[in-house]
Amino acid sequence: MEYRSRSIYKSTSIMISAILFLSLIHTSHCFYLPGVAPEDFQKGDPLKVKVNKLTSIKTQLPYSYYSLPFCSPKKIVDSAENLGEVLRGDRIENSPYVFKMREPQMCSVLCRITLDAKTAKQFKEKIDDEYRVNMILDNLPLVVPIRRLDQGSPTVYQLGYHVGLKGQYTGSKEEKIFIHNHLAFTVKYHKDPQTDSARIVGFEVKPYSIKHEYEGKWSENTRLTTCDPHTKRTVVNSNTPQEVEANKEIIFTYDVEYQESDVKWASRWDAYLLMSDDQIHWFSIVNSLMIVLFLSGMVAMIMLRTLYRDISKYNELETQEEAQEETGWKLVHGDVFRPPSNSDLLCVYVGTGIQFLGMVLVTMIFAVFGFLSPSNRGGLMTAMLLLWVFMGIFAGYASSRLYKMFKGTEWKKISLKTACLFPGIAFVIFFVLNALIWGQKSSGAVPFGTMFALVVMWFGISVPLVFVGGYIGFKKPAIEDPVKTNKIPRQIPEQAWYMNPIFSILIGGILPFGAVFIELFFILTSIWLNQFYYIFGFLFLVFIILLITCAEITIVLCYFQLCSEDYLWWWRSYLTSGSSALYLFLYATFYFFTKLEITKLVSGMLYFGYMLIASYAFFVLTGTIGFYACFWFTRLIYSSVKID
């Protein structure tokens, strides 16, 4: 109950702080981004080592550090967490480790524990699931340096160290489980040449499993024979590992080494974000650009040659009888702007798509300029949530403008649907997934207080803004069609097999997906394999290419559809580019079975649940882009035709 009430208080304060920050930001002359301000340390200054969640790429279920019976301080204190950190499952707390700047330590004893059957089972389960311990020093995450075998290759850094490992004793086939109970920390610092102060630029560890030994009975002053600073004996290997079994004692120890580094504070994240696969990203860009150039050539051919010739020829016809003999897209001018079936739903989806487009664009711009760096932990998710909420005004405006064009009169109803349809579906899926995570007692479960804060943001800020946008949009004059609509609908002739709606829609989604699938691999890897993603420059380029590809493929297929005298383009234009979301979900399924090692049912449901939400959002975004491209295209070509 204490944790839950603390979570409610924390989540409410998070929401209030976020709103106050956004409202007061224009009055600030200068400010540091959270976690980005440098801190100078003198020799002997205490360094605060914090512990974060336990993570595993096999289960995708984070747990708090103290869910295992590790050594703990007298009082566990939570660090302030933002909304993004809570949703990510981060649980940052203090630790019993005592560091002093530039004062090395050898074989410091942290604590001694004796395992019972329950705690031994907990350790075994976490080690079997390959859980890692995450720590933080001066806002830098703890990493394990892994040197590659080939010479000249840069060192790879693994986030966090494994709780333990599995192995066998020499000459035995029985598999045992061992715990990493000795940590050799390395703190890298950059010294100011003019003063004696220094800044931390690296935080590394080498974990060992060692069965510590000592003489006599255990006391606070007991000296270990396996690791003793007085005799300069330290742990250098795991030849005598510490086994995890009930009724066995484990002694936790650590070393701290300080290394001066030439790396400056501003560049300390470079090693973490080392991108050794930039050639693949450039290949992704070139691949996407080739698709765009191909589609641009087709659109140019349609616009400059075919359409120009058709419009000129059509406008030169002397009589209406001659015009009636024409075939193709010109014949359906009296039906092309006829409101589609389920026009209300189309308006809702278009409005939601505009909301997504605004959120993604602004987020990308902030990320490209470095405002959402990994040092600002949870900042990306917090920014996306807040931007989604405040972009509600554009969603309401877009949906009501289109609704009024379809001769709709109940703008309040359409605004309510826009404010609730997508968030409602996403929230239901999220709530079910959260209940499953809660059942696993994972720290990834969003506390009730945070859930309440999300609902307040939704109904307290987003919904009113959607209504404000809807009111403004509905008060605007209705968009006039360039041609009049006939009272009696024209019969659509039988279509060729390749113009079948399902076939053309599925074909239309391939190219937009093809433009992003290489970058999608890196995004999925960063999310599900616990890696950093910080190549927002590449991502922004790919996103622009995605916008162009969605627009161009929809225009091309819409033109072919109208040439076949099929004027039902409204929904098909949305679904054509939106169908790329289907391929995204299929690729996510392929990625699950080929790249991930998830075996637990809850973890699998978690993966597919979140990827379903992501695919749904991608459908809404890409569908809206395709719709507006086709909307502009049809209005352009029919406004150029003279109709008597």
Coordinates of all heavy atoms in Angstrom, one line a residue, residues 70 97 107 127 144-145 147 161-165 178-186 204-212 226-227 234-243 250-257:
F70 N 19.7 -8.8 -3.0 CA 21.1 -8.2 -3.1 C 21.3 -7.4 -1.8 O 20.4 -7.1 -1.0 CB 21.2 -7.3 -4.3 CG 21.3 -8.0 -5.6 CD1 20.3 -7.9 -6.6 CD2 22.4 -8.8 -5.9 CE1 20.5 -8.5 -7.8 CE2 22.6 -9.4 -7.1 CZ 21.6 -9.3 -8.0
Y97 N 26.9 0.7 -2.4 CA 28.2 0.9 -2.9 C 28.7 2.3 -2.5 O 28.0 3.3 -2.7 CB 28.3 0.8 -4.4 CG 28.0 -0.7 -4.9 CD1 26.8 -1.1 -5.2 CD2 29.1 -1.6 -4.9 CE1 26.5 -2.4 -5.7 CE2 28.8 -2.9 -5.3 CZ 27.5 -3.3 -5.7 OH 27.3 -4.6 -6.1
C107 N 38.9 -5.0 -3.0 CA 38.2 -6.1 -2.2 C 37.4 -5.5 -1.0 O 37.5 -5.9 0.1 CB 39.2 -7.0 -1.6 SG 40.1 -8.0 -2.9
I127 N 18.9 -15.9 -13.2 CA 20.1 -16.3 -13.9 C 19.8 -17.1 -15.1 O 20.4 -16.9 -16.2 CB 21.1 -17.0 -13.0 CG1 21.7 -16.0 -11.9 CG2 22.3 -17.5 -13.8 CD1 22.5 -16.7 -10.8
V144 N 29.5 -3.4 -19.7 CA 30.6 -4.4 -19.6 C 31.3 -4.3 -21.0 O 30.7 -4.6 -22.0 CB 30.0 -5.8 -19.4 CG1 31.1 -6.8 -19.5 CG2 29.2 -5.9 -18.1
P145 N 32.6 -3.9 -21.0 CA 33.3 -3.9 -22.3 C 33.6 -5.3 -22.8 O 34.1 -6.1 -22.1 CB 34.6 -3.1 -21.9 CG 34.8 -3.4 -20.5 CD 33.4 -3.5 -19.9
R147 N 35.6 -7.0 -25.9 CA 36.6 -6.8 -26.9 C 36.4 -7.9 -28.0 O 36.4 -9.1 -27.7 CB 38.0 -6.8 -26.4 CG 38.3 -5.5 -25.6 CD 39.6 -5.5 -25.0 NE 39.9 -4.2 -24.3 CZ 39.4 -3.9 -23.1 NH1 38.6 -4.7 -22.5 NH2 39.6 -2.7 -22.6
Y161 N 25.5 -5.9 -16.3 CA 26.2 -7.2 -16.2 C 25.2 -8.3 -15.8 O 24.2 -8.0 -15.1 CB 27.3 -7.1 -15.2 CG 26.9 -7.0 -13.8 CD1 26.7 -8.1 -13.0 CD2 26.7 -5.7 -13.2 CE1 26.3 -8.0 -11.6 CE2 26.3 -5.6 -11.8 CZ 26.1 -6.8 -11.1 OH 25.7 -6.6 -9.8
H162 N 25.4 -9.5 -16.2 CA 24.5 -10.6 -15.9 C 24.6 -10.9 -14.4 O 25.6 -10.9 -13.8 CB 24.9 -11.8 -16.7 CG 24.5 -11.7 -18.2 ND1 25.4 -11.4 -19.2 CD2 23.3 -11.9 -18.8 CE1 24.8 -11.4 -20.4 NE2 23.5 -11.7 -20.1
V163 N 23.4 -11.3 -13.9 CA 23.3 -11.6 -12.5 C 24.2 -12.8 -12.2 O 24.9 -12.9 -11.1 CB 21.9 -12.0 -12.1 CG1 21.8 -12.4 -10.6 CG2 21.0 -10.8 -12.3
G164 N 24.3 -13.7 -13.1 CA 25.2 -14.9 -12.9 C 25.3 -15.6 -14.3 O 25.0 -15.1 -15.3
L165 N 25.8 -16.9 -14.2 CA 26.0 -17.7 -15.4 C 25.8 -19.1 -15.1 O 25.8 -19.6 -13.9 CB 27.4 -17.4 -15.9 CG 28.6 -18.0 -15.1 CD1 29.8 -18.1 -16.1 CD2 28.9 -17.1 -14.0
F178 N 25.9 -20.3 -11.2 CA 26.8 -19.5 -10.4 C 26.4 -18.0 -10.4 O 25.8 -17.5 -11.4 CB 28.2 -19.6 -10.9 CG 28.7 -21.1 -11.0 CD1 28.7 -21.7 -12.3 CD2 29.0 -21.8 -9.9 CE1 29.1 -23.0 -12.4 CE2 29.4 -23.1 -10.0 CZ 29.4 -23.7 -11.3
I179 N 26.7 -17.3 -9.3 CA 26.3 -15.9 -9.2 C 27.6 -15.0 -9.3 O 28.7 -15.4 -8.9 CB 25.6 -15.6 -7.9 CG1 25.0 -14.2 -7.9 CG2 26.5 -15.8 -6.7 CD1 24.1 -13.9 -6.7
H180 N 27.4 -13.8 -10.0 CA 28.5 -12.9 -10.0 C 28.5 -12.1 -8.7 O 27.6 -11.2 -8.5 CB 28.3 -11.9 -11.2 CG 28.7 -12.6 -12.5 ND1 27.9 -12.4 -13.7 CD2 29.7 -13.4 -12.9 CE1 28.5 -13.1 -14.6 NE2 29.6 -13.7 -14.2
N181 N 29.4 -12.4 -7.8 CA 29.4 -11.7 -6.5 C 30.6 -10.8 -6.3 O 30.7 -10.2 -5.2 CB 29.3 -12.8 -5.4 CG 30.5 -13.7 -5.4 OD1 31.0 -14.1 -6.5 ND2 30.9 -14.1 -4.2
H182 N 31.5 -10.7 -7.3 CA 32.6 -9.7 -7.2 C 32.6 -8.9 -8.4 O 32.6 -9.4 -9.6 CB 33.9 -10.5 -7.1 CG 35.1 -9.5 -7.0 ND1 35.5 -8.9 -5.8 CD2 35.9 -9.0 -7.9 CE1 36.5 -8.1 -6.0 NE2 36.8 -8.1 -7.3
L183 N 32.5 -7.6 -8.2 CA 32.5 -6.6 -9.3 C 33.7 -5.7 -9.3 O 34.0 -5.1 -8.3 CB 31.2 -5.7 -9.2 CG 29.9 -6.4 -9.1 CD1 28.8 -5.4 -8.9 CD2 29.6 -7.3 -10.4
A184 N 34.4 -5.7 -10.5 CA 35.6 -4.9 -10.6 C 35.2 -3.7 -11.4 O 35.1 -3.7 -12.7 CB 36.7 -5.7 -11.3
F185 N 34.9 -2.6 -10.7 CA 34.5 -1.3 -11.4 C 35.6 -0.5 -11.9 O 36.7 -0.5 -11.3 CB 33.7 -0.5 -10.4 CG 32.4 -1.0 -10.0 CD1 32.2 -1.6 -8.7 CD2 31.3 -1.0 -10.8 CE1 31.0 -2.1 -8.3 CE2 30.0 -1.5 -10.4 CZ 29.9 -2.1 -9.2
T186 N 35.4 0.1 -13.1 CA 36.4 1.1 -13.6 C 35.7 2.4 -13.9 O 34.7 2.4 -14.6 CB 37.1 0.6 -14.9 OG1 37.7 -0.7 -14.6 CG2 38.1 1.6 -15.4
E204 N 32.5 1.4 -16.1 CA 32.6 0.0 -16.7 C 32.7 -1.0 -15.5 O 33.1 -0.6 -14.4 CB 33.8 -0.2 -17.6 CG 33.7 0.8 -18.8 CD 35.0 0.7 -19.7 OE1 35.9 -0.1 -19.3 OE2 35.1 1.4 -20.6
V205 N 32.4 -2.3 -15.8 CA 32.6 -3.3 -14.8 C 33.0 -4.6 -15.4 O 32.6 -4.9 -16.6 CB 31.2 -3.5 -14.0 CG1 30.2 -4.1 -14.9 CG2 31.4 -4.3 -12.7
K206 N 33.7 -5.4 -14.7 CA 34.0 -6.8 -15.0 C 33.5 -7.7 -13.9 O 34.0 -7.6 -12.8 CB 35.5 -7.0 -15.2 CG 36.0 -6.4 -16.5 CD 37.5 -6.7 -16.7 CE 38.1 -6.1 -17.9 NZ 39.5 -6.4 -18.1
P207 N 32.4 -8.5 -14.2 CA 31.9 -9.3 -13.1 C 32.6 -10.6 -12.9 O 33.1 -11.2 -13.9 CB 30.4 -9.5 -13.5 CG 30.5 -9.5 -15.0 CD 31.6 -8.6 -15.4
Y208 N 32.7 -11.1 -11.7 CA 33.4 -12.4 -11.4 C 32.5 -13.2 -10.5 O 31.8 -12.6 -9.6 CB 34.8 -12.2 -10.8 CG 35.8 -11.5 -11.7 CD1 36.0 -10.1 -11.5 CD2 36.5 -12.2 -12.6 CE1 36.9 -9.5 -12.3 CE2 37.4 -11.5 -13.4 CZ 37.6 -10.2 -13.3 OH 38.5 -9.5 -14.1
S209 N 32.6 -14.5 -10.6 CA 32.0 -15.4 -9.6 C 33.1 -16.0 -8.8 O 34.0 -16.7 -9.4 CB 31.1 -16.4 -10.3 OG 30.5 -17.3 -9.3
I210 N 33.2 -15.8 -7.5 CA 34.3 -16.3 -6.7 C 33.7 -16.8 -5.3 O 32.9 -16.1 -4.7 CB 35.3 -15.2 -6.5 CG1 36.5 -15.7 -5.5 CG2 34.7 -13.9 -6.0 CD1 37.4 -16.6 -6.2
K211 N 34.1 -18.0 -4.9 CA 33.7 -18.5 -3.6 C 34.7 -18.0 -2.6 O 35.8 -18.5 -2.4 CB 33.7 -20.0 -3.7 CG 33.1 -20.6 -2.4 CD 33.0 -22.1 -2.5 CE 32.4 -22.7 -1.2 NZ 32.4 -24.2 -1.3
H212 N 34.3 -16.9 -1.9 CA 35.2 -16.3 -0.9 C 35.4 -17.2 0.3 O 34.4 -17.9 0.7 CB 34.6 -15.0 -0.5 CG 34.8 -13.9 -1.5 ND1 36.0 -13.5 -2.0 CD2 33.9 -13.1 -2.1 CE1 35.9 -12.5 -2.8 NE2 34.6 -12.2 -2.9
T226 N 40.6 -15.0 0.1 CA 40.5 -15.1 -1.4 C 40.7 -13.7 -2.0 O 40.9 -13.5 -3.2 CB 39.2 -15.7 -1.8 OG1 38.2 -15.0 -1.1 CG2 39.2 -17.2 -1.6
C227 N 40.5 -12.6 -1.2 CA 40.5 -11.3 -1.7 C 40.9 -10.3 -0.6 O 40.1 -10.1 0.3 CB 39.2 -11.0 -2.3 SG 39.0 -9.3 -3.1
T234 N 43.8 -9.9 -5.2 CA 42.5 -9.5 -5.8 C 42.0 -10.6 -6.7 O 42.7 -11.5 -7.0 CB 42.6 -8.2 -6.5 OG1 41.3 -7.7 -6.9 CG2 43.5 -8.3 -7.8
V235 N 40.8 -10.5 -7.1 CA 40.1 -11.4 -7.9 C 40.4 -11.1 -9.4 O 40.2 -10.0 -9.8 CB 38.6 -11.4 -7.7 CG1 37.9 -12.4 -8.6 CG2 38.2 -11.7 -6.2
V236 N 41.0 -12.1 -10.1 CA 41.3 -11.9 -11.5 C 40.6 -12.9 -12.4 O 40.7 -12.8 -13.6 CB 42.9 -12.0 -11.7 CG1 43.6 -10.8 -11.0 CG2 43.4 -13.3 -11.2
N237 N 40.0 -14.0 -11.8 CA 39.3 -14.9 -12.6 C 38.2 -15.6 -11.8 O 38.0 -15.3 -10.6 CB 40.2 -16.0 -13.2 CG 41.0 -16.7 -12.1 OD1 40.4 -17.2 -11.1 ND2 42.3 -16.8 -12.3
S238 N 37.4 -16.5 -12.5 CA 36.3 -17.2 -11.8 C 36.6 -18.7 -11.7 O 35.7 -19.5 -12.0 CB 35.0 -16.9 -12.5 OG 34.7 -15.5 -12.4
N239 N 37.9 -19.0 -11.4 CA 38.2 -20.5 -11.4 C 37.5 -21.2 -10.2 O 37.3 -22.4 -10.3 CB 39.7 -20.6 -11.2 CG 40.5 -20.2 -12.5 OD1 39.8 -20.1 -13.6 ND2 41.7 -19.9 -12.4
T240 N 37.2 -20.5 -9.1 CA 36.5 -21.2 -8.0 C 35.2 -20.4 -7.8 O 35.1 -19.5 -7.0 CB 37.3 -21.1 -6.7 OG1 37.7 -19.8 -6.4 CG2 38.5 -22.0 -6.9
P241 N 34.2 -20.7 -8.7 CA 33.0 -19.8 -8.7 C 32.1 -20.1 -7.5 O 32.1 -21.2 -6.9 CB 32.3 -20.2 -10.0 CG 32.8 -21.6 -10.3 CD 34.2 -21.7 -9.7
Q242 N 31.2 -19.1 -7.3 CA 30.2 -19.2 -6.2 C 28.9 -19.8 -6.7 O 28.2 -19.2 -7.5 CB 30.0 -17.8 -5.6 CG 28.9 -17.8 -4.5 CD 29.2 -18.6 -3.3 OE1 30.2 -18.3 -2.6 NE2 28.4 -19.6 -2.9
E243 N 28.6 -21.0 -6.2 CA 27.4 -21.7 -6.6 C 26.2 -21.2 -5.9 O 26.3 -20.8 -4.7 CB 27.6 -23.2 -6.3 CG 26.6 -24.1 -7.0 CD 26.9 -25.6 -6.7 OE1 28.0 -25.9 -6.6 OE2 25.9 -26.4 -6.7
I250 N 26.9 -16.3 0.6 CA 27.5 -15.6 -0.5 C 28.0 -14.3 0.1 O 27.3 -13.5 0.8 CB 26.5 -15.3 -1.6 CG1 25.9 -16.6 -2.1 CG2 27.1 -14.5 -2.7 CD1 24.8 -16.4 -3.2
I251 N 29.3 -14.0 -0.2 CA 29.9 -12.7 0.2 C 30.1 -11.8 -1.0 O 30.7 -12.3 -2.0 CB 31.3 -13.0 0.9 CG1 31.1 -13.8 2.2 CG2 31.9 -11.6 1.3 CD1 32.4 -14.3 2.8
F252 N 29.5 -10.7 -1.0 CA 29.5 -9.7 -2.1 C 30.7 -8.7 -1.9 O 30.8 -8.1 -0.8 CB 28.2 -9.0 -2.3 CG 27.1 -9.8 -2.8 CD1 26.3 -10.5 -1.9 CD2 26.9 -10.0 -4.1 CE1 25.2 -11.3 -2.3 CE2 25.8 -10.8 -4.6 CZ 25.0 -11.4 -3.7
T253 N 31.6 -8.6 -2.9 CA 32.7 -7.7 -2.8 C 32.8 -6.9 -4.1 O 32.2 -7.2 -5.1 CB 34.0 -8.5 -2.6 OG1 34.1 -9.5 -3.6 CG2 34.0 -9.2 -1.2
Y254 N 33.7 -5.9 -4.0 CA 33.9 -5.1 -5.2 C 35.2 -4.3 -5.2 O 35.8 -4.1 -4.1 CB 32.7 -4.1 -5.4 CG 32.6 -3.0 -4.4 CD1 33.1 -1.7 -4.6 CD2 31.9 -3.2 -3.2 CE1 33.0 -0.7 -3.7 CE2 31.8 -2.2 -2.2 CZ 32.3 -1.0 -2.5 OH 32.2 0.0 -1.5
D255 N 35.8 -4.0 -6.3 CA 37.0 -3.2 -6.5 C 36.5 -1.9 -7.3 O 35.6 -2.0 -8.0 CB 38.0 -3.9 -7.3 CG 38.5 -5.2 -6.8 OD1 38.4 -5.4 -5.5 OD2 38.9 -6.1 -7.5
V256 N 37.2 -0.9 -7.0 CA 37.0 0.4 -7.8 C 38.4 0.9 -8.3 O 39.3 1.1 -7.5 CB 36.3 1.5 -6.9 CG1 36.0 2.7 -7.8 CG2 35.1 0.9 -6.3
E257 N 38.5 1.0 -9.6 CA 39.7 1.5 -10.2 C 39.4 2.8 -10.9 O 38.3 2.9 -11.5 CB 40.3 0.5 -11.2 CG 41.5 0.9 -11.9 CD 42.0 0.0 -13.0 OE1 41.2 -1.0 -13.2 OE2 43.0 0.3 -13.7

